Amino acid sequence: MKFFLDTANVDEIREWNATGMLDGVTTNPSLILKSGRDIKETLAEICEIVEGDVSGEVAATDYEQMLKEGRTLAAIAKNICIKLPITLDGVRACKTLVDEGFKTNMTLCFSPNQALLVAKAGATYVSPFIGRVDDMASDGMALIEDIRTIFDNYSFETQILAASIRTANHVKDCALAGADVATMPPSTITQLVKHPLTDKGLADFLSDWEKTGQTIS
Ligand code: G3P
């Protein structure tokens, strides 16, 4: 399973990239707003830090303008993945951009049929928003499971990029359901390493080690 960081904050990206655990980055207009920075400048910097795919989202909603913005974003770096919303124009733009050899990430996926459609369009990734489905008192993980089954039934190569992840349990459940990628905010990826028994066990070992009076050299 690949780990992507869901942020446009380059300091956080640099920090996580240094762990060797980062396979890519996803951004969206809200994250660009939060960064307070220029989208092209920010994406260029992120693409220099991270080797894997970096999603940059178009702001246009009509086909022609989506293509124009998508090509502009893709020109920033070779690891840019053009992020498009799943609308009729978005799916059409996806197909065209895929035919031109670009990578695409189809976002705001809330149903298995939307995922089926973008897989047929040849999208590189589809982004089901688990947390937002849960927010509607529905089952975000069932969405991942359904998409996995459909993609496996037809051997679609589109990768399931689980997004809107809010908890460490979401990550575990995504891994069990066979999501290809989990994109997480830094707060969630940090939670993956934590367990109170690890902290307690380490404190006990360190205390006992000190009592031995030994050093390892
Ligand atoms: O990248 C999009 C997605 O991860 C958004 O998450 O928490 O705003 O629903 P959230």
Side-chain angles (χ1 to χ4, degrees), residues 11-215:
D11 293 331
E12 290 170 334
I13 292 166
R14 211 168 264 117
E15 187 184 330
W16 274 100
N17 193 54
T19 67
M21 289 291 111
L22 214 56
D23 301 298
V25 170
T26 49
T27 67
N28 61 39
S30 305
L31 293 170
I32 294 293
L33 173 69
K34 201 170 158 196
S35 77
R37 298 187 53 197
D38 173 78
I39 182 168
K40 284 168 68 179
E41 211 178 274
T42 309
L43 288 172
E45 207 174 322
I46 297 172
C47 286
E48 270 184 27
I49 301 168
V50 178
E51 263 185 44
D53 290 344
V54 174
S55 289
E57 190 161 340
V58 302
T61 54
D62 72 284
Y63 171 73
E64 292 296 346
Q65 195 61 21
M66 278 175 160
L67 292 184
K68 205 169 157 221
E69 289 187 7
R71 291 175 191 132
T72 301
L73 292 176
I76 293 172
K78 64 173 181 0
N79 51 337
I80 283 282
C81 181
I82 305 164
K83 204 172 179 185
L84 303 148
I86 305 178
T87 58
L88 211 48
D89 284 61
V91 173
R92 189 178 160 206
C94 170
K95 178 80 178 77
T96 303
L97 291 166
V98 166
D99 288 346
E100 289 175 15
F102 294 111
K103 290 183 182 184
T104 56
N105 175 0
M106 298 306 288
T107 191
L108 292 166
C109 174
F110 293 97
S111 81
N113 281 335
Q114 288 179 317
L116 174 59
L117 201 59
V118 304
K120 278 181 71 67
T124 316
Y125 302 100
V126 62
S127 291
F129 276 33
I130 306 168
R132 293 192 196 184
V133 173
D134 286 355
D135 289 345
M136 299 290 290
S138 200
D139 188 352
M141 215 48 65
L143 176 59
I144 301 288
E145 288 163 4
D146 285 351
I147 297 171
R148 180 75 281 155
T149 302
I150 291 168
F151 284 11
D152 289 349
N153 282 348
Y154 297 98
S155 304
F156 282 124
E157 283 176 13
T158 300
Q159 295 179 55
I160 303 172
L161 195 168
S164 187
I165 284 180
R166 309 270 171 79
T167 65
N169 264 344
H170 271 157
V171 180
K172 179 201 70 178
D173 290 338
C174 279
L176 286 171
D180 300 286
V181 188
T183 190
M184 296 165 261
S187 55
T188 305
I189 201 167
T190 304
Q191 284 302 318
L192 300 187
V193 79
K194 290 193 188 301
H195 196 286
L197 289 180
T198 303
D199 296 341
K200 186 188 174 309
L202 180 61
D204 290 347
F205 285 156
L206 290 177
S207 152
D208 286 345
W209 180 248
E210 206 178 316
K211 287 175 201 150
T212 70
Q214 299 179 45
T215 55

